[in-house]
Amino acid sequence: MKKQVAIYCRTSTNMQKSGLESQRRALVEYCKSRSIKNYLIYEDSGISGTKSSRPSLDNMMKKVRAGEVGAVIVYSFSRFARSTKHLIDVLEEFESYGVNFISLSEQVDLSTAIGKAMYTIISAIAALERDLISERVKNGMKNARAKGKQIGRPKTRNTDLIVSLRKQGYTYNQIRELIGVGHGTITNALRESLKKDKKK
């Protein structure tokens, strides 16, 4: 069975219909210019890039994991990934399944030497980003302790930091290791943030 080429488009609000159309047009034209006919379009309209779950993206990833996709083409990194870490994680998964990745705006094609070099640079930036966050968290906790503040679980949890790390794509285990809180604390912080967002 010939593997399909998946093209992915996304807009943050339903009002950006023209934006979705322009992304689709550019991606389809790219495929036609390279005689790619076996493409399938996946679109998420009115869904924020920070959302961990997007129906069409989730469906596309199922096809990737089922071995039905040979390449993924997107309009830009920002239309596809919710964070640098998320981008790296997905690219690593693509690599494990032998799936090529192309982004038109950034002119990245991971099947080329330049594309592979870009991937290495992006990976290095993601690693640096993780190290900087870890360092800031540790320094903040040291500073708090130096001022005599108790770093307890429920009362001293940094809800904003937990929510921020989660939105950047960090897993519960990674957040726990970074700031030294339990799984329940992370869940409660995210639940509390969700309640606040609903009240706004």
Side-chain angles (χ1 to χ4, degrees):
M1 182 181 72
K2 190 174 182 181
K3 293 186 177 182
Q4 67 178 222
V5 172
I7 60 179
Y8 179 76
C9 317
R10 181 190 64 80
T11 55
S12 299
T13 69
N14 289 318
M15 301 298 289
Q16 295 176 315
K17 186 177 179 181
S18 60
L20 198 65
E21 290 174 351
S22 63
Q23 288 178 50
R24 187 193 310 122
R25 188 182 307 111
L27 291 165
V28 169
E29 285 178 358
Y30 177 89
C31 288
K32 287 181 178 179
S33 69
R34 285 157 179 77
S35 300
I36 299 171
K37 297 179 181 179
N38 60 322
Y39 62 83
L40 194 61
I41 302 171
Y42 295 85
E43 296 180 352
D44 281 313
S45 177
I47 298 180
S48 170
T50 61
K51 295 287 185 182
S52 58
S53 177
R54 296 178 234 159
S56 287
L57 180 61
D58 294 344
N59 186 31
M60 185 191 79
M61 292 305 296
K62 285 180 183 177
K63 299 288 186 182
V64 167
R65 290 160 188 150
E68 298 176 19
V69 175
V72 173
I73 308 174
V74 303
Y75 184 75
S76 70
F77 290 161
S78 64
R79 297 296 90 195
F80 176 66
R82 62 180 181 271
S83 66
T84 306
K85 182 185 179 300
H86 178 227
L87 176 63
I88 293 300
D89 288 345
V90 177
L91 293 185
E92 286 178 351
E93 188 169 4
F94 285 168
E95 186 177 20
S96 70
Y97 287 103
V99 175
N100 187 31
F101 176 80
I102 297 168
S103 176
L104 300 192
S105 296
E106 287 81 11
Q107 297 183 346
V108 170
D109 182 340
L110 293 190
S111 67
T112 67
I114 293 176
K116 289 173 183 175
M118 279 290 294
Y119 173 70
T120 301
I121 293 169
I122 294 167
S123 298
I125 292 171
L128 176 61
E129 186 180 76
R130 286 195 297 270
D131 290 344
L132 289 173
I133 289 172
S134 178
E135 187 178 342
R136 283 199 297 269
V137 170
K138 289 175 182 176
N139 287 340
M141 292 176 73
K142 283 181 182 178
N143 186 47
R145 289 194 186 100
K147 291 179 179 179
K149 293 182 180 178
Q150 183 182 352
I151 310 296
R153 283 192 175 183
K155 292 184 179 179
T156 59
R157 74 165 183 248
N158 191 327
T159 299
D160 291 340
L161 178 59
I162 290 171
V163 172
S164 175
L165 290 171
R166 186 63 180 149
K167 283 183 177 180
Q168 291 178 62
Y170 285 80
T171 65
Y172 276 47
N173 286 337
Q174 289 170 329
I175 294 172
R176 191 179 70 231
E177 290 174 7
L178 278 172
I179 60 178
V181 296
H183 189 282
T185 300
I186 298 170
T187 300
N188 291 335
L190 295 174
R191 206 173 279 158
E192 179 184 310
S193 175
L194 185 62
K195 286 180 182 178
K196 287 181 180 178
D197 289 342
K198 286 182 178 179
K199 289 179 181 179
K200 290 179 181 179

